[in-house]
Amino acid sequence: MTHPHPFDQLTTQELAIAMRVLKQHHPGKTVHIKSVGSEEPPKKLMVPYLAAEKAGRPIPPPPRIAHCIYYVMEEKQGNELWININEQKVVRYQSIAKGQHPPIDFYEAGRICEIFFKSEEFKAALQRCNLDHITSSCVEVDGWMYGCDDPVEVPRLMMMLVYCRDPKANNKDSNLYAFPLPFVPVYDVLEDKLVRIDWCATGGDDDDIHGFNYNTRPDGKNAISHCVGNEYVPELQEQLRTDLKPYNVVQPEGPSFDLDGNLVKWQKWRFRVGFTPREGLVLHDVDYDGRNVFYRLSVSEMAVPYGDPRPPLHRKMAFDFGDCGAGRSANELNLGCDCLGTIKYFDGNIVEANGNVLQKKSVICMHEQDDGILWKHTNYRTNRACVTRRRILVVQSILTVGNYEYIFAWHLDQAAGISLEVRATGIVSTQPIDEGKRSQWGNIVSPGALAATHQHIFSMRIDPAIDGHNNTAIISDTKPVPWDEKNPYGTAFRAFATPVETSMAFDHDVYASRSVKMVNENKKNPVSGNPVGYKLIGAPTALLMAQPGSIARSRAAFATQHYWVTKYQDQELYAGGVWTNQSAKEIGGVKEAVDRKDKVRNEDIVLWHSFGLTHNVRVEDFPVMPTEMLKVQLIPSDFFTKNPAIDVPPSTQAFNRSVDVMAKRSCHL
């Protein structure tokens, strides 16, 4: 491939061009980069390009456009700039509207540490907690988005959660979250100054909610005297298990997939792996056996609201994709740790706050994995069993957003199904609680450390292309049939299909076994006569708990209903809107798209699915929580004329080379 594909991320050379053009646009000014990535070409240009590419008659690609989000620090203004990389010139420029704020970054968190740890306010806060003996080298902070609690426009702020390493050891990898401190510095990013220090409530349910009361603390007893070390790194454990034997995944002939740049071919699948600063891992132009099924698959947003209403921690509400960026938070994965087997890694290119271009190594891993039985049947008359193993191709990315890790894995299988598996792990965010107290707003996971109840609500964005781009969403419910002459015994139930005519939102109905089909009404299955399609088997989870009328609910409208059907528009990619940081309302998100009331039957549509985890924290979730997992499935529905995996070779001992442990033992007796 001599030139990047239009769906490929910007190369490091292209990003360097973008930085040069951007700085030339603001001569003599200091720019603080927030995000630089490729703006996807309009679909009207990409559809003929992809068709020509697959036909072997390529046409010129659309221009490569870099989209830049940044501050001009002297002007204290956020801006957007679009650059034609081919022509190396600006094609569009605009300032970000007042009241809208770009995402946060690690540089800002580092800057507040420089200011805060040198301040008299920091020394006074430690003294108020009877922690005069603690130095700044023992204290760390988590930079947090300043969650909006007032619709009035506020400056560009960050708040910091403050923790202390175990003073007994002060190991750099010690679990900070076992020693939370009761004060929250607030920093003005553009003015580069400490605004104030807020104090947390540390009491129980029967105490005043208005904050930390140092006057009631016994003389000489400091704020973390009742906290204890609670470590997770291996070298700080007393004993690791010794009975775990090696489990080696070996593929002696190599993997079954083929690669051409970011183009992947595996088991009749053909797709492109993409990477963006905001969404991280994206799948483009997904085909199965030569038939187009999806134009684009991604995780669009994630809202993480916390349930403690006591100031200032009532502001803890993160939009991890919009506020931080999944691509910028992606881990550099390690061989033999995050994935097993024969692995292909993909790098990710980002721009740091100072404009330096950085290639993050191995931010996406891809490998094959055995996933149990694909299909099996035993003819009980002859006792002949036919069985095939289910192999999946896993395309995975892992994010670290402060204290939490999120694992996003797309599973493609041999029966033309795609699943999105989401796992949450890492360390729960803690806050201080006084000795002997309990709180209805969370659970104590370590002495002095309260973990508040919270949610992780994800939005999965599905841009279908089921044998073409004119598709229809169908709500598929299974319901009982009333008693009548055709149902004299009251046993009948059947499927009911309701096409979505106009953009809308609706919820899951577990009692109707609801699914949502994406079908092409212009093409019928020759066996069933139904339109060809794919079915979304969603995750019927609880959604946003914040009260109607609250700002928290207004700014995360996408998290209030399970399904949203909208008409496609270029660059409408983010369920929570473009500007989530300090937002008071979801602007440009999926709710506004639904409110357009576009016609969506037999049109170019997008299906969005909201689902999540409501985390009532357990003691077992500390010091690091075992993964909690959710899975959403996309499976063919009358897309084929029979089981598409019927041609997968049978599972045999000659191929799989399994070992009978008892037989092996008996040989040595």
Side-chain angles (χ1 to χ4, degrees), residues 128 212-219:
R128 183 173 174 179
F212 174 77
N213 188 351
Y214 67 97
N215 291 318
T216 64
R217 306 190 73 83
D219 290 341

Side-chain angles (χ1 to χ4, degrees), residues 632-647:
V632 177
Q633 293 178 276
L634 292 163
I635 61 173
S637 180
D638 288 4
F639 192 72
F640 300 99
T641 56
K642 60 181 177 182
N643 178 354
I646 206 71
D647 59 349

